[in-house]
Amino acid sequence: MTNVILLGPPGAGKGTQAKRLEAERGMTQLSTGDMLREARSSGSEMGKLVSAVMDAGGLVTDEIVIGLIREKLEQGGAKGYIFDGFPRTLGQADALGELLSQLGQKLDAVISMQVDDAALVRRITGRFTCGNCGAVYHDETSPTKVPGVCDTCGSTNLTRRSDDNEDALRHRLMEYYKKTSPLIGYYYAKGDLAHVDALASVDEVAIGISAILDGEQAT
Ligand code: ADP
Ligand code: AMP
């Protein structure tokens, strides 16, 4: 059982690498962003509550996202979890530590994905995803092989996120620097932190992450 947090700003490539880890290692991606988007499209009360905050690029309350993660972890049955976009605050990080220890589990690594802001803007403004299977694409760096058709599942339901615009991204980046980047120090102090150069190609980043998970690189 390997549990890993992919920690990085919006557009760092967390979702892309989480999908690779699912495919290559049979681990389970837990993306609070995906869970919140699902709640929104299902039209649930919680979905309605978080919709405006998400569109503006703000953070949803700790209580809501911790509840979503608790529910998934309590279901159990996974070979290991990839936390993608969670935790995003110190309160969420403390809660995750407590939840894992209650379940007799631990974190194996926290991987800080380092990128610069200019690359993030390019990545976010070119991103589109498959509405059916969640595969992540980019207009320039990883387009679909057949335009308009998902390589993975063949769906033509390719979508762009409503918060992938420059205004919301500016707010999301500010939230990241104010509330999430302190987690780098938090996990460094706990001895769990490793780094990858997330400006490298998708394959190279995947190799870096695998080396960390296989213990080939000192953290
Ligand atoms: P996050 O989950 O961290 O917000 P994504 O995985 O959705 O980021 O990636 C954001 C965008 O950047 C997507 O369009 C994706 O195809 C692209 N991308 C991801 N990793 C890389 C990479 N290493 N090099 C170039 N583009 C990338
Ligand atoms: P993401 O898909 O990770 O980019 O998240 C999209 C949006 O969902 C964020 O901009 C937040 O509004 C919300 N969100 C996702 N995860 C969290 C979290 N852990 N804490 C608070 N808000 C979150």
mmCIF file of all heavy atoms in Angstrom, residues 64-114:
data_model
loop_
_atom_site.group_PDB
_atom_site.id
_atom_site.type_symbol
_atom_site.label_atom_id
_atom_site.label_comp_id
_atom_site.label_asym_id
_atom_site.label_seq_id
_atom_site.Cartn_x
_atom_site.Cartn_y
_atom_site.Cartn_z
ATOM 1 N N ILE A 64 -16.009 20.705 3.984
ATOM 2 C CA ILE A 64 -16.581 19.990 2.836
ATOM 3 C C ILE A 64 -15.563 19.036 2.230
ATOM 4 O O ILE A 64 -15.844 17.844 2.036
ATOM 5 C CB ILE A 64 -17.103 20.988 1.770
ATOM 6 C CG1 ILE A 64 -18.366 21.668 2.283
ATOM 7 C CG2 ILE A 64 -17.383 20.273 0.440
ATOM 8 C CD1 ILE A 64 -18.965 22.702 1.332
ATOM 9 N N VAL A 65 -14.343 19.522 1.961
ATOM 10 C CA VAL A 65 -13.388 18.634 1.262
ATOM 11 C C VAL A 65 -12.886 17.511 2.163
ATOM 12 O O VAL A 65 -12.685 16.384 1.702
ATOM 13 C CB VAL A 65 -12.211 19.405 0.611
ATOM 14 C CG1 VAL A 65 -12.680 20.218 -0.562
ATOM 15 C CG2 VAL A 65 -11.467 20.258 1.593
ATOM 16 N N ILE A 66 -12.734 17.787 3.448
ATOM 17 C CA ILE A 66 -12.306 16.721 4.369
ATOM 18 C C ILE A 66 -13.399 15.644 4.414
ATOM 19 O O ILE A 66 -13.110 14.444 4.407
ATOM 20 C CB ILE A 66 -12.001 17.291 5.781
ATOM 21 C CG1 ILE A 66 -10.751 18.175 5.722
ATOM 22 C CG2 ILE A 66 -11.812 16.158 6.802
ATOM 23 C CD1 ILE A 66 -10.540 19.061 6.956
ATOM 24 N N GLY A 67 -14.659 16.076 4.409
ATOM 25 C CA GLY A 67 -15.779 15.119 4.390
ATOM 26 C C GLY A 67 -15.734 14.222 3.156
ATOM 27 O O GLY A 67 -15.953 13.010 3.243
ATOM 28 N N LEU A 68 -15.414 14.820 1.999
ATOM 29 C CA LEU A 68 -15.344 14.038 0.751
ATOM 30 C C LEU A 68 -14.232 12.999 0.834
ATOM 31 O O LEU A 68 -14.406 11.831 0.452
ATOM 32 C CB LEU A 68 -15.074 14.967 -0.443
ATOM 33 C CG LEU A 68 -16.217 15.893 -0.860
ATOM 34 C CD1 LEU A 68 -15.725 16.928 -1.871
ATOM 35 C CD2 LEU A 68 -17.368 15.080 -1.450
ATOM 36 N N ILE A 69 -13.067 13.400 1.349
ATOM 37 C CA ILE A 69 -11.929 12.481 1.446
ATOM 38 C C ILE A 69 -12.211 11.395 2.492
ATOM 39 O O ILE A 69 -11.927 10.210 2.263
ATOM 40 C CB ILE A 69 -10.633 13.267 1.797
ATOM 41 C CG1 ILE A 69 -10.199 14.110 0.597
ATOM 42 C CG2 ILE A 69 -9.518 12.335 2.245
ATOM 43 C CD1 ILE A 69 -9.606 13.347 -0.575
ATOM 44 N N ARG A 70 -12.806 11.785 3.608
ATOM 45 C CA ARG A 70 -13.107 10.800 4.658
ATOM 46 C C ARG A 70 -13.985 9.672 4.087
ATOM 47 O O ARG A 70 -13.711 8.492 4.283
ATOM 48 C CB ARG A 70 -13.807 11.472 5.839
ATOM 49 C CG ARG A 70 -14.175 10.444 6.929
ATOM 50 C CD ARG A 70 -14.946 11.018 8.090
ATOM 51 N NE ARG A 70 -14.157 11.971 8.846
ATOM 52 C CZ ARG A 70 -14.447 13.259 8.975
ATOM 53 N NH1 ARG A 70 -15.538 13.747 8.413
ATOM 54 N NH2 ARG A 70 -13.688 14.054 9.678
ATOM 55 N N GLU A 71 -15.027 10.099 3.348
ATOM 56 C CA GLU A 71 -15.950 9.120 2.769
ATOM 57 C C GLU A 71 -15.207 8.113 1.883
ATOM 58 O O GLU A 71 -15.415 6.904 1.984
ATOM 59 C CB GLU A 71 -16.963 9.890 1.935
ATOM 60 C CG GLU A 71 -18.283 9.211 1.729
ATOM 61 C CD GLU A 71 -19.212 10.142 0.953
ATOM 62 O OE1 GLU A 71 -19.490 11.268 1.425
ATOM 63 O OE2 GLU A 71 -19.609 9.749 -0.138
ATOM 64 N N LYS A 72 -14.307 8.620 1.027
ATOM 65 C CA LYS A 72 -13.564 7.728 0.114
ATOM 66 C C LYS A 72 -12.636 6.812 0.893
ATOM 67 O O LYS A 72 -12.553 5.612 0.606
ATOM 68 C CB LYS A 72 -12.731 8.541 -0.888
ATOM 69 C CG LYS A 72 -13.542 9.383 -1.825
ATOM 70 C CD LYS A 72 -14.186 8.545 -2.904
ATOM 71 C CE LYS A 72 -14.956 9.434 -3.871
ATOM 72 N NZ LYS A 72 -15.789 8.685 -4.801
ATOM 73 N N LEU A 73 -11.912 7.359 1.878
ATOM 74 C CA LEU A 73 -10.953 6.534 2.614
ATOM 75 C C LEU A 73 -11.676 5.462 3.422
ATOM 76 O O LEU A 73 -11.198 4.330 3.541
ATOM 77 C CB LEU A 73 -10.091 7.401 3.543
ATOM 78 C CG LEU A 73 -9.103 8.341 2.863
ATOM 79 C CD1 LEU A 73 -8.309 9.125 3.899
ATOM 80 C CD2 LEU A 73 -8.141 7.565 1.967
ATOM 81 N N GLU A 74 -12.857 5.811 3.958
ATOM 82 C CA GLU A 74 -13.589 4.831 4.766
ATOM 83 C C GLU A 74 -14.150 3.692 3.924
ATOM 84 O O GLU A 74 -14.346 2.588 4.409
ATOM 85 C CB GLU A 74 -14.683 5.527 5.595
ATOM 86 C CG GLU A 74 -14.061 6.265 6.783
ATOM 87 C CD GLU A 74 -15.032 7.118 7.577
ATOM 88 O OE1 GLU A 74 -16.194 7.273 7.114
ATOM 89 O OE2 GLU A 74 -14.624 7.641 8.638
ATOM 90 N N GLN A 75 -14.381 3.980 2.613
ATOM 91 C CA GLN A 75 -14.831 2.900 1.713
ATOM 92 C C GLN A 75 -13.756 1.830 1.576
ATOM 93 O O GLN A 75 -14.052 0.652 1.435
ATOM 94 C CB GLN A 75 -15.146 3.455 0.317
ATOM 95 C CG GLN A 75 -16.522 4.096 0.203
ATOM 96 C CD GLN A 75 -16.650 4.916 -1.081
ATOM 97 O OE1 GLN A 75 -15.840 4.795 -2.005
ATOM 98 N NE2 GLN A 75 -17.668 5.752 -1.141
ATOM 99 N N GLY A 76 -12.487 2.242 1.613
ATOM 100 C CA GLY A 76 -11.344 1.321 1.564
ATOM 101 C C GLY A 76 -11.246 0.569 0.245
ATOM 102 O O GLY A 76 -11.844 0.949 -0.761
ATOM 103 N N GLY A 77 -10.456 -0.502 0.253
ATOM 104 C CA GLY A 77 -10.356 -1.378 -0.917
ATOM 105 C C GLY A 77 -9.343 -0.957 -1.960
ATOM 106 O O GLY A 77 -9.205 -1.630 -2.984
ATOM 107 N N ALA A 78 -8.612 0.151 -1.723
ATOM 108 C CA ALA A 78 -7.658 0.601 -2.749
ATOM 109 C C ALA A 78 -6.271 0.029 -2.473
ATOM 110 O O ALA A 78 -5.937 -0.329 -1.352
ATOM 111 C CB ALA A 78 -7.601 2.121 -2.769
ATOM 112 N N LYS A 79 -5.472 -0.015 -3.537
ATOM 113 C CA LYS A 79 -4.083 -0.485 -3.405
ATOM 114 C C LYS A 79 -3.161 0.623 -2.912
ATOM 115 O O LYS A 79 -1.978 0.402 -2.695
ATOM 116 C CB LYS A 79 -3.571 -0.936 -4.785
ATOM 117 C CG LYS A 79 -3.887 -2.370 -5.118
ATOM 118 C CD LYS A 79 -3.472 -2.692 -6.527
ATOM 119 C CE LYS A 79 -2.134 -3.378 -6.611
ATOM 120 N NZ LYS A 79 -1.833 -3.757 -8.013
ATOM 121 N N GLY A 80 -3.704 1.803 -2.826
ATOM 122 C CA GLY A 80 -2.915 2.976 -2.445
ATOM 123 C C GLY A 80 -3.578 4.183 -3.075
ATOM 124 O O GLY A 80 -4.265 4.045 -4.094
ATOM 125 N N TYR A 81 -3.408 5.336 -2.437
ATOM 126 C CA TYR A 81 -4.096 6.536 -2.912
ATOM 127 C C TYR A 81 -3.115 7.583 -3.429
ATOM 128 O O TYR A 81 -2.027 7.743 -2.884
ATOM 129 C CB TYR A 81 -4.910 7.168 -1.778
ATOM 130 C CG TYR A 81 -6.046 6.289 -1.303
ATOM 131 C CD1 TYR A 81 -5.929 5.560 -0.125
ATOM 132 C CD2 TYR A 81 -7.219 6.181 -2.037
ATOM 133 C CE1 TYR A 81 -6.964 4.747 0.323
ATOM 134 C CE2 TYR A 81 -8.258 5.373 -1.607
ATOM 135 C CZ TYR A 81 -8.136 4.659 -0.434
ATOM 136 O OH TYR A 81 -9.154 3.852 -0.017
ATOM 137 N N ILE A 82 -3.554 8.281 -4.475
ATOM 138 C CA ILE A 82 -2.821 9.444 -4.974
ATOM 139 C C ILE A 82 -3.695 10.641 -4.637
ATOM 140 O O ILE A 82 -4.781 10.808 -5.209
ATOM 141 C CB ILE A 82 -2.653 9.393 -6.509
ATOM 142 C CG1 ILE A 82 -2.132 8.038 -6.957
ATOM 143 C CG2 ILE A 82 -1.758 10.537 -6.993
ATOM 144 C CD1 ILE A 82 -2.783 7.545 -8.237
ATOM 145 N N PHE A 83 -3.267 11.442 -3.698
ATOM 146 C CA PHE A 83 -4.035 12.628 -3.332
ATOM 147 C C PHE A 83 -3.665 13.751 -4.301
ATOM 148 O O PHE A 83 -2.504 14.156 -4.384
ATOM 149 C CB PHE A 83 -3.747 13.019 -1.875
ATOM 150 C CG PHE A 83 -4.206 11.965 -0.900
ATOM 151 C CD1 PHE A 83 -3.325 11.010 -0.416
ATOM 152 C CD2 PHE A 83 -5.533 11.909 -0.509
ATOM 153 C CE1 PHE A 83 -3.748 10.022 0.458
ATOM 154 C CE2 PHE A 83 -5.979 10.920 0.359
ATOM 155 C CZ PHE A 83 -5.076 9.970 0.847
ATOM 156 N N ASP A 84 -4.665 14.205 -5.046
ATOM 157 C CA ASP A 84 -4.454 15.184 -6.130
ATOM 158 C C ASP A 84 -5.313 16.410 -5.829
ATOM 159 O O ASP A 84 -6.538 16.340 -5.890
ATOM 160 C CB ASP A 84 -4.865 14.491 -7.449
ATOM 161 C CG ASP A 84 -5.132 15.463 -8.588
ATOM 162 O OD1 ASP A 84 -4.850 16.665 -8.460
ATOM 163 O OD2 ASP A 84 -5.641 14.997 -9.633
ATOM 164 N N GLY A 85 -4.657 17.510 -5.448
ATOM 165 C CA GLY A 85 -5.427 18.724 -5.117
ATOM 166 C C GLY A 85 -5.942 18.720 -3.695
ATOM 167 O O GLY A 85 -6.757 19.559 -3.317
ATOM 168 N N PHE A 86 -5.492 17.796 -2.897
ATOM 169 C CA PHE A 86 -5.824 17.695 -1.471
ATOM 170 C C PHE A 86 -4.614 17.107 -0.767
ATOM 171 O O PHE A 86 -4.067 16.126 -1.276
ATOM 172 C CB PHE A 86 -7.036 16.783 -1.250
ATOM 173 C CG PHE A 86 -7.413 16.644 0.211
ATOM 174 C CD1 PHE A 86 -8.362 17.478 0.781
ATOM 175 C CD2 PHE A 86 -6.793 15.684 1.024
ATOM 176 C CE1 PHE A 86 -8.692 17.361 2.126
ATOM 177 C CE2 PHE A 86 -7.117 15.579 2.370
ATOM 178 C CZ PHE A 86 -8.073 16.412 2.918
ATOM 179 N N PRO A 87 -4.179 17.616 0.358
ATOM 180 C CA PRO A 87 -4.699 18.781 1.064
ATOM 181 C C PRO A 87 -4.226 20.096 0.435
ATOM 182 O O PRO A 87 -3.217 20.130 -0.232
ATOM 183 C CB PRO A 87 -4.091 18.608 2.467
ATOM 184 C CG PRO A 87 -2.823 17.857 2.250
ATOM 185 C CD PRO A 87 -3.064 16.955 1.082
ATOM 186 N N ARG A 88 -5.002 21.156 0.683
ATOM 187 C CA ARG A 88 -4.658 22.479 0.151
ATOM 188 C C ARG A 88 -4.486 23.504 1.262
ATOM 189 O O ARG A 88 -4.166 24.654 0.975
ATOM 190 C CB ARG A 88 -5.787 22.964 -0.768
ATOM 191 C CG ARG A 88 -5.528 22.750 -2.266
ATOM 192 C CD ARG A 88 -6.784 23.183 -2.969
ATOM 193 N NE ARG A 88 -6.634 23.581 -4.327
ATOM 194 C CZ ARG A 88 -6.915 22.800 -5.379
ATOM 195 N NH1 ARG A 88 -7.256 21.550 -5.219
ATOM 196 N NH2 ARG A 88 -6.831 23.290 -6.603
ATOM 197 N N THR A 89 -4.753 23.106 2.514
ATOM 198 C CA THR A 89 -4.539 24.014 3.659
ATOM 199 C C THR A 89 -3.901 23.197 4.777
ATOM 200 O O THR A 89 -3.962 21.953 4.762
ATOM 201 C CB THR A 89 -5.873 24.578 4.203
ATOM 202 O OG1 THR A 89 -6.654 23.483 4.721
ATOM 203 C CG2 THR A 89 -6.683 25.311 3.141
ATOM 204 N N LEU A 90 -3.343 23.908 5.767
ATOM 205 C CA LEU A 90 -2.730 23.198 6.894
ATOM 206 C C LEU A 90 -3.793 22.397 7.656
ATOM 207 O O LEU A 90 -3.522 21.285 8.116
ATOM 208 C CB LEU A 90 -2.023 24.197 7.819
ATOM 209 C CG LEU A 90 -0.785 24.847 7.177
ATOM 210 C CD1 LEU A 90 -0.322 26.058 7.973
ATOM 211 C CD2 LEU A 90 0.361 23.835 7.037
ATOM 212 N N GLY A 91 -5.001 22.944 7.773
ATOM 213 C CA GLY A 91 -6.093 22.225 8.451
ATOM 214 C C GLY A 91 -6.405 20.916 7.735
ATOM 215 O O GLY A 91 -6.619 19.866 8.365
ATOM 216 N N GLN A 92 -6.414 20.952 6.397
ATOM 217 C CA GLN A 92 -6.674 19.724 5.625
ATOM 218 C C GLN A 92 -5.532 18.733 5.815
ATOM 219 O O GLN A 92 -5.753 17.517 5.899
ATOM 220 C CB GLN A 92 -6.843 20.047 4.143
ATOM 221 C CG GLN A 92 -8.103 20.854 3.820
ATOM 222 C CD GLN A 92 -8.191 21.246 2.352
ATOM 223 O OE1 GLN A 92 -7.609 20.604 1.480
ATOM 224 N NE2 GLN A 92 -8.935 22.301 2.063
ATOM 225 N N ALA A 93 -4.300 19.241 5.894
ATOM 226 C CA ALA A 93 -3.148 18.347 6.047
ATOM 227 C C ALA A 93 -3.211 17.640 7.398
ATOM 228 O O ALA A 93 -2.993 16.420 7.489
ATOM 229 C CB ALA A 93 -1.849 19.136 5.919
ATOM 230 N N ASP A 94 -3.545 18.385 8.461
ATOM 231 C CA ASP A 94 -3.686 17.763 9.783
ATOM 232 C C ASP A 94 -4.793 16.704 9.755
ATOM 233 O O ASP A 94 -4.630 15.607 10.272
ATOM 234 C CB ASP A 94 -4.055 18.816 10.839
ATOM 235 C CG ASP A 94 -2.841 19.625 11.294
ATOM 236 O OD1 ASP A 94 -1.709 19.120 11.171
ATOM 237 O OD2 ASP A 94 -3.038 20.760 11.770
ATOM 238 N N ALA A 95 -5.912 17.058 9.128
ATOM 239 C CA ALA A 95 -7.054 16.125 9.089
ATOM 240 C C ALA A 95 -6.684 14.861 8.325
ATOM 241 O O ALA A 95 -7.055 13.747 8.734
ATOM 242 C CB ALA A 95 -8.263 16.807 8.441
ATOM 243 N N LEU A 96 -5.929 14.995 7.234
ATOM 244 C CA LEU A 96 -5.540 13.802 6.465
ATOM 245 C C LEU A 96 -4.647 12.897 7.316
ATOM 246 O O LEU A 96 -4.838 11.672 7.329
ATOM 247 C CB LEU A 96 -4.805 14.208 5.179
ATOM 248 C CG LEU A 96 -4.286 13.045 4.333
ATOM 249 C CD1 LEU A 96 -5.433 12.134 3.877
ATOM 250 C CD2 LEU A 96 -3.493 13.541 3.125
ATOM 251 N N GLY A 97 -3.700 13.500 8.027
ATOM 252 C CA GLY A 97 -2.825 12.705 8.897
ATOM 253 C C GLY A 97 -3.648 11.914 9.909
ATOM 254 O O GLY A 97 -3.421 10.715 10.118
ATOM 255 N N GLU A 98 -4.643 12.578 10.504
ATOM 256 C CA GLU A 98 -5.475 11.907 11.509
ATOM 257 C C GLU A 98 -6.305 10.794 10.892
ATOM 258 O O GLU A 98 -6.392 9.691 11.433
ATOM 259 C CB GLU A 98 -6.415 12.909 12.192
ATOM 260 C CG GLU A 98 -5.710 13.738 13.252
ATOM 261 C CD GLU A 98 -6.510 14.975 13.638
ATOM 262 O OE1 GLU A 98 -7.753 14.943 13.538
ATOM 263 O OE2 GLU A 98 -5.868 15.986 14.015
ATOM 264 N N LEU A 99 -6.900 11.093 9.731
ATOM 265 C CA LEU A 99 -7.732 10.082 9.059
ATOM 266 C C LEU A 99 -6.912 8.837 8.731
ATOM 267 O O LEU A 99 -7.351 7.708 8.982
ATOM 268 C CB LEU A 99 -8.279 10.646 7.744
ATOM 269 C CG LEU A 99 -9.582 11.416 7.810
ATOM 270 C CD1 LEU A 99 -9.856 12.087 6.458
ATOM 271 C CD2 LEU A 99 -10.711 10.462 8.156
ATOM 272 N N LEU A 100 -5.718 9.054 8.161
ATOM 273 C CA LEU A 100 -4.889 7.905 7.778
ATOM 274 C C LEU A 100 -4.495 7.111 9.011
ATOM 275 O O LEU A 100 -4.549 5.875 9.004
ATOM 276 C CB LEU A 100 -3.645 8.368 7.005
ATOM 277 C CG LEU A 100 -3.900 8.860 5.576
ATOM 278 C CD1 LEU A 100 -2.636 9.454 4.974
ATOM 279 C CD2 LEU A 100 -4.413 7.729 4.670
ATOM 280 N N SER A 101 -4.155 7.803 10.104
ATOM 281 C CA SER A 101 -3.725 7.019 11.267
ATOM 282 C C SER A 101 -4.894 6.270 11.886
ATOM 283 O O SER A 101 -4.742 5.136 12.322
ATOM 284 C CB SER A 101 -2.917 7.862 12.253
ATOM 285 O OG SER A 101 -3.769 8.557 13.098
ATOM 286 N N GLN A 102 -6.098 6.854 11.843
ATOM 287 C CA GLN A 102 -7.282 6.116 12.341
ATOM 288 C C GLN A 102 -7.500 4.833 11.549
ATOM 289 O O GLN A 102 -7.999 3.846 12.061
ATOM 290 C CB GLN A 102 -8.547 6.976 12.208
ATOM 291 C CG GLN A 102 -8.724 7.999 13.314
ATOM 292 C CD GLN A 102 -9.732 9.091 12.916
ATOM 293 O OE1 GLN A 102 -10.529 8.903 12.001
ATOM 294 N NE2 GLN A 102 -9.687 10.222 13.610
ATOM 295 N N LEU A 103 -7.120 4.876 10.263
ATOM 296 C CA LEU A 103 -7.339 3.703 9.404
ATOM 297 C C LEU A 103 -6.104 2.791 9.376
ATOM 298 O O LEU A 103 -6.035 1.855 8.581
ATOM 299 C CB LEU A 103 -7.681 4.161 7.977
ATOM 300 C CG LEU A 103 -9.011 4.927 7.854
ATOM 301 C CD1 LEU A 103 -9.112 5.646 6.524
ATOM 302 C CD2 LEU A 103 -10.199 3.980 8.029
ATOM 303 N N GLY A 104 -5.118 3.098 10.221
ATOM 304 C CA GLY A 104 -3.907 2.279 10.287
ATOM 305 C C GLY A 104 -3.025 2.453 9.062
ATOM 306 O O GLY A 104 -2.256 1.560 8.707
ATOM 307 N N GLN A 105 -3.146 3.615 8.408
ATOM 308 C CA GLN A 105 -2.334 3.871 7.215
ATOM 309 C C GLN A 105 -1.411 5.061 7.445
ATOM 310 O O GLN A 105 -1.532 5.769 8.437
ATOM 311 C CB GLN A 105 -3.248 4.174 6.030
ATOM 312 C CG GLN A 105 -4.105 3.000 5.619
ATOM 313 C CD GLN A 105 -4.850 3.296 4.333
ATOM 314 O OE1 GLN A 105 -4.312 3.909 3.429
ATOM 315 N NE2 GLN A 105 -6.092 2.869 4.261
ATOM 316 N N LYS A 106 -0.515 5.265 6.455
ATOM 317 C CA LYS A 106 0.380 6.418 6.566
ATOM 318 C C LYS A 106 0.653 6.979 5.177
ATOM 319 O O LYS A 106 0.321 6.339 4.166
ATOM 320 C CB LYS A 106 1.688 6.008 7.236
ATOM 321 C CG LYS A 106 2.457 4.975 6.446
ATOM 322 C CD LYS A 106 3.791 4.684 7.092
ATOM 323 C CE LYS A 106 4.601 3.646 6.356
ATOM 324 N NZ LYS A 106 4.861 3.859 4.932
ATOM 325 N N LEU A 107 1.282 8.132 5.169
ATOM 326 C CA LEU A 107 1.724 8.726 3.903
ATOM 327 C C LEU A 107 3.111 8.201 3.594
ATOM 328 O O LEU A 107 3.955 8.158 4.483
ATOM 329 C CB LEU A 107 1.844 10.235 4.063
ATOM 330 C CG LEU A 107 0.634 11.088 3.767
ATOM 331 C CD1 LEU A 107 0.990 12.537 4.054
ATOM 332 C CD2 LEU A 107 0.187 10.908 2.318
ATOM 333 N N ASP A 108 3.346 7.809 2.344
ATOM 334 C CA ASP A 108 4.684 7.339 1.986
ATOM 335 C C ASP A 108 5.526 8.449 1.398
ATOM 336 O O ASP A 108 6.735 8.455 1.557
ATOM 337 C CB ASP A 108 4.562 6.167 1.018
ATOM 338 C CG ASP A 108 3.883 4.997 1.706
ATOM 339 O OD1 ASP A 108 4.569 4.314 2.473
ATOM 340 O OD2 ASP A 108 2.660 4.820 1.536
ATOM 341 N N ALA A 109 4.893 9.367 0.678
ATOM 342 C CA ALA A 109 5.665 10.469 0.094
ATOM 343 C C ALA A 109 4.751 11.646 -0.229
ATOM 344 O O ALA A 109 3.560 11.475 -0.506
ATOM 345 C CB ALA A 109 6.348 10.006 -1.197
ATOM 346 N N VAL A 110 5.330 12.813 -0.169
ATOM 347 C CA VAL A 110 4.662 14.033 -0.630
ATOM 348 C C VAL A 110 5.583 14.591 -1.709
ATOM 349 O O VAL A 110 6.746 14.892 -1.439
ATOM 350 C CB VAL A 110 4.507 15.041 0.521
ATOM 351 C CG1 VAL A 110 3.862 16.324 0.015
ATOM 352 C CG2 VAL A 110 3.690 14.438 1.657
ATOM 353 N N ILE A 111 5.077 14.660 -2.924
ATOM 354 C CA ILE A 111 5.937 15.062 -4.039
ATOM 355 C C ILE A 111 5.575 16.478 -4.479
ATOM 356 O O ILE A 111 4.465 16.736 -4.957
ATOM 357 C CB ILE A 111 5.811 14.068 -5.212
ATOM 358 C CG1 ILE A 111 6.156 12.657 -4.707
ATOM 359 C CG2 ILE A 111 6.729 14.505 -6.365
ATOM 360 C CD1 ILE A 111 6.091 11.575 -5.764
ATOM 361 N N SER A 112 6.513 17.370 -4.273
ATOM 362 C CA SER A 112 6.300 18.762 -4.675
ATOM 363 C C SER A 112 6.654 18.890 -6.158
ATOM 364 O O SER A 112 7.770 18.579 -6.571
ATOM 365 C CB SER A 112 7.188 19.660 -3.798
ATOM 366 O OG SER A 112 7.278 20.934 -4.359
ATOM 367 N N MET A 113 5.675 19.336 -6.953
ATOM 368 C CA MET A 113 5.858 19.441 -8.410
ATOM 369 C C MET A 113 6.161 20.900 -8.742
ATOM 370 O O MET A 113 5.292 21.763 -8.632
ATOM 371 C CB MET A 113 4.603 18.953 -9.128
ATOM 372 C CG MET A 113 4.295 17.482 -8.778
ATOM 373 S SD MET A 113 2.868 16.822 -9.641
ATOM 374 C CE MET A 113 3.416 16.837 -11.334
ATOM 375 N N GLN A 114 7.422 21.131 -9.133
ATOM 376 C CA GLN A 114 7.865 22.514 -9.304
ATOM 377 C C GLN A 114 7.782 22.987 -10.751
ATOM 378 O O GLN A 114 8.298 22.325 -11.653
ATOM 379 C CB GLN A 114 9.291 22.632 -8.766
ATOM 380 C CG GLN A 114 9.323 22.305 -7.285
ATOM 381 C CD GLN A 114 10.722 22.254 -6.722
ATOM 382 O OE1 GLN A 114 11.596 21.574 -7.255
ATOM 383 N NE2 GLN A 114 10.944 22.970 -5.644
#
